[in-house]
Amino acid sequence: MNSGRIKVLWHWLSMGPYHFARMAAVAGRPEIDLTVVETTSRGDHDWKRNGAAAAFPHVTLSRERRSKQVLAETRGALEEALARHAPDVVVAAGYSEEHSRRAALQYAQTHPGARCLLWSESTAVDQRRFWLAERLKSLVVCRFDGALVAGSRHAEYLERLSMPAERICIVGGCVDNKRFFRKAEEAPQVADWNFGRTVAAPYFLYVGRFVRQKNLHTLLQAFHRYRRKWPGRAWDLVLVGSGPEESRLRGAIRDQGIQGVHFAGFRQADELPAFYANAGCFVLPSAEEPWGLVTNEAMASSLPVIVSRRCGCAPELVQEGHNGFTFDPNDIKGLARVLETVWQMPLCERERLGAESRRIIEGFSPELFAERSAAHIKKLWLAPAKSPFRATHRTLRSRLVSSFDSIPLSRMPR
């Protein structure tokens, strides 16, 4: 350790705006000497950098778009970064990310005093699970000294994978709440958004990728039912984002005559507060969603939220009837009823739900993320090292883990 501070190397595959806010807060902890390494600055979302990297030591291994090839080409550079910085604690990007976990575990194996932690946002229900993959994952998870997770479902899943509960810390999925609240208050009116025509506020809002897992076809069908019941009075639906499902969504809208749906296109983080500020309610219909950080953004913008029960954030962020509602992502009629319930609320009631959203989300801030993370890192650093497996078990474990590590990244279950 350096002057009593714990040297931590935190690895991400690629960093978005919320990563920068979290890592800046962790770097501000007096007990942590942080270095952040990201494999590539170009992930799946094409977010623009905002200069926040200057708030902490930050190493980027590649400027190419993330791919299997980039992950393979930067594996050696990641190992070199670990050796060069010689951290006391390594935080890996996830057990399913071969690129990250292998480098972290190999470093811990060659540096017996080091601790190796896992960041995990996987839950038991965010996708189908297969017993053999679960057994293999258990063998990998048990090699980590501990874990930092977003919420209760993520902790429960790691316990199912044989990690002791006392080695897991729930730190909370978070975004820069203050920024979204401030920007939402300063947001322009709808006419400035360049939809091609004015969209009346309030409206229902979705923000995210247009991919199958987001379950947007169910949202469209539910919105269509609600809209037909209240013609001429119902709110519109604004979809912010892009992705491979967009043509199918537009086709469904055209073929079924669904009215009142507006595509706003992909927007950078600085543009999102304007959409939240003028919405009446945020909807996240995902069938598979490890957390759902757009829910945090909406709540920080003082919005009521309607969130699928399959979203990892639902147990922590949605208090039924107090700041929003949850629903079964396969129940079109049920979602339509919830849309109607929120729409029928008087403005003062929606504002009450929005204020409750803001109160709840204050418990999920970068500052609290950093405080909880630092405390758990310190606890595990000071704790005795885990007892090694008996020699008779170690050989079998190594063979099985090696087999698991050889599975291609694209086929690795979360």
Side-chain angles (χ1 to χ4, degrees), residues 45-85:
H45 293 82
D46 289 324
W47 297 118
K48 289 181 180 177
R49 299 290 177 157
N50 57 10
F56 51 86
H58 172 227
V59 178
T60 299
L61 303 180
S62 174
R63 305 289 178 184
E64 301 296 322
R65 182 177 292 278
R66 192 169 79 198
S67 65
K68 293 180 184 179
Q69 181 178 347
V70 168
L71 294 175
E73 291 174 348
T74 55
R75 180 177 298 167
L78 177 57
E79 294 171 354
E80 290 174 6
L82 284 162
R84 181 169 64 256
H85 291 282

Side-chain angles (χ1 to χ4, degrees), residues 203-205 216-230 234-239 253 257-262 283 332-333 335-337 339-340 343:
Y203 47 78
F204 290 108
L205 174 67
L216 291 174
H217 286 275
T218 293
L219 174 57
L220 286 182
Q221 296 306 313
F223 177 75
H224 192 30
R225 290 180 67 91
Y226 148 76
R227 182 93 179 183
R228 285 184 299 178
K229 186 174 180 180
W230 300 99
W235 290 352
D236 287 353
L237 170 63
V238 175
L239 304 176
I253 290 169
I258 303 175
Q259 301 295 314
V261 181
H262 307 272
V283 187
I332 294 173
K333 293 181 181 179
L335 176 53
R337 286 194 297 270
L339 295 175
E340 185 176 359
W343 172 76

